[in-house]
Amino acid sequence: MSSFDHRRARALTDRDRRILVWETVLLLAVSLGQSAWYSVLRMIERLTRGVPLSSQTSSLNTSVTPGRPWLDLLYQLSDIAFGVVPALLAVLLLARFCTPVGGVRRALGLTGGSWRRDALAGTVLAAAIGIPGLGFYVAMKALGLNTTVRASGLQNAWWVVPVLILAAVMNAVLEETVMVGYLFTRWRQCGVSALAVVVGSAAIRGTYHLYQGWGGFAGNIVMGLLLGWVFTRRGRLGPLIVAHTLLDVVSFVGYAFLAPHLSWL
């Protein structure tokens, strides 16, 4: 189990718990919760467009200023830098109010242990998620339940691969820190059961991927359930960040190189 001390949960007052609930709501509202809401609206727009989902495209990592690579690079780096801010804010909030017993680093599993073991565990997780996940994406697309996901739409420039890797790291740090490290700690402090935390976090994760289609929604719920379960068992955020980074790097960079040669992507 994670390092959260349940005795601390019983020590919190009702006022503290209300503050923590609002804290999580507001943090989600300026980060991934906001993405989930707009993803729902995007899905409504897709379903009412009159065009099958399988004939629609979801574009990730797109160029902002095509034809002006240096300005586009600044835009991409800015998105990455600002994208990680909610994760840093989550850590700050954990450290400033109702700090978990043993400190934030201990609660997130960022102390002790072996980073090599974390990297190995993350690699195994990435393979366990990514290999069947690719097959699931192809099947859902064939069934007309998912859009075509264009994982990289950047213009041809020397910085494309480094930027895609940085974007993958940003996504991993943001999502795993907020959706797992932060939410699991706060919701458990509020007295929510471990099962409810895992399911709730996974549902939000699936919802902010809903813009891709029903396949992206369902696939990310399964991913969230697995990563949440791993965190409750190991209490370490490192393997989750490694796994998510590898999945996105393979997806983003792989698409950039393989899409012109593989029509089914």
Side-chain angles (χ1 to χ4, degrees):
M1 295 297 290
S2 92
S3 56
F4 174 68
D5 189 336
H6 296 276
R7 291 171 299 178
R8 181 62 179 272
R10 290 194 293 270
L12 297 182
T13 65
D14 289 340
R15 178 179 178 274
D16 289 338
R17 292 191 181 91
R18 286 195 297 271
I19 291 174
L20 292 186
V21 169
W22 279 109
E23 180 191 281
T24 60
V25 169
L26 293 175
L27 180 61
L28 288 174
V30 296
S31 59
L32 296 168
Q34 181 184 123
S35 298
W37 173 249
Y38 280 113
S39 191
V40 170
L41 296 180
R42 182 62 168 163
M43 188 58 166
I44 294 173
E45 187 276 330
R46 288 189 183 282
L47 293 176
T48 57
R49 190 183 296 181
V51 178
L53 276 178
S54 57
S55 299
Q56 300 182 39
T57 300
S58 299
S59 298
L60 312 178
N61 303 303
T62 56
S63 289
V64 180
T65 57
R68 291 181 285 174
W70 286 104
L71 182 57
D72 198 21
L73 175 59
L74 289 177
Y75 269 107
Q76 302 300 327
L77 293 178
S78 297
D79 283 345
I80 292 168
F82 286 117
V84 80
V85 170
L88 299 177
L89 178 58
V91 173
L92 178 62
L93 291 171
L94 288 175
R96 296 291 294 178
F97 183 72
C98 291
T99 304
V101 173
V104 176
R105 292 181 64 193
R106 182 169 179 264
L108 302 183
L110 300 177
T111 59
S114 168
W115 285 100
R116 289 185 179 181
R117 285 200 297 270
D118 283 352
L120 177 59
T123 302
V124 172
L125 267 176
I129 296 169
I131 295 173
L134 180 60
F136 181 73
Y137 163 73
V138 173
M140 294 298 281
K141 183 181 171 186
L143 291 171
L145 297 174
N146 213 77
T147 64
T148 296
V149 179
R150 189 183 181 203
S152 175
L154 294 175
Q155 61 187 302
N156 187 21
W158 64 268
W159 46 261
V160 167
V161 171
V163 162
L164 290 176
I165 292 174
L166 287 175
V169 174
M170 181 273 288
N171 286 341
V173 171
L174 170 63
E175 293 188 38
E176 304 315 322
T177 301
V178 173
M179 296 308 304
V180 179
Y182 170 78
L183 281 187
F184 278 44
T185 301
R186 284 311 200 207
W187 284 352
R188 291 295 279 148
Q189 285 179 311
C190 290
V192 181
S193 69
L195 177 60
V197 172
V198 171
V199 173
S201 174
I204 297 173
R205 187 190 294 263
T207 303
Y208 62 73
H209 286 94
L210 183 60
Y211 69 92
Q212 298 176 6
W214 300 116
F217 174 69
N220 277 278
I221 286 180
V222 173
M223 175 178 169
L225 291 172
L226 176 59
L227 295 182
W229 178 79
V230 170
F231 185 74
T232 63
R233 300 292 296 178
R234 295 177 58 92
R236 295 189 64 81
L237 205 59
L240 278 59
I241 293 176
V242 170
H244 197 145
T245 298
L246 291 176
L247 286 169
D248 279 6
V249 167
V250 171
S251 176
F252 297 167
V253 178
Y255 184 91
F257 284 104
L258 297 178
H261 310 289
L262 299 175
S263 59
W264 53 268
L265 281 178

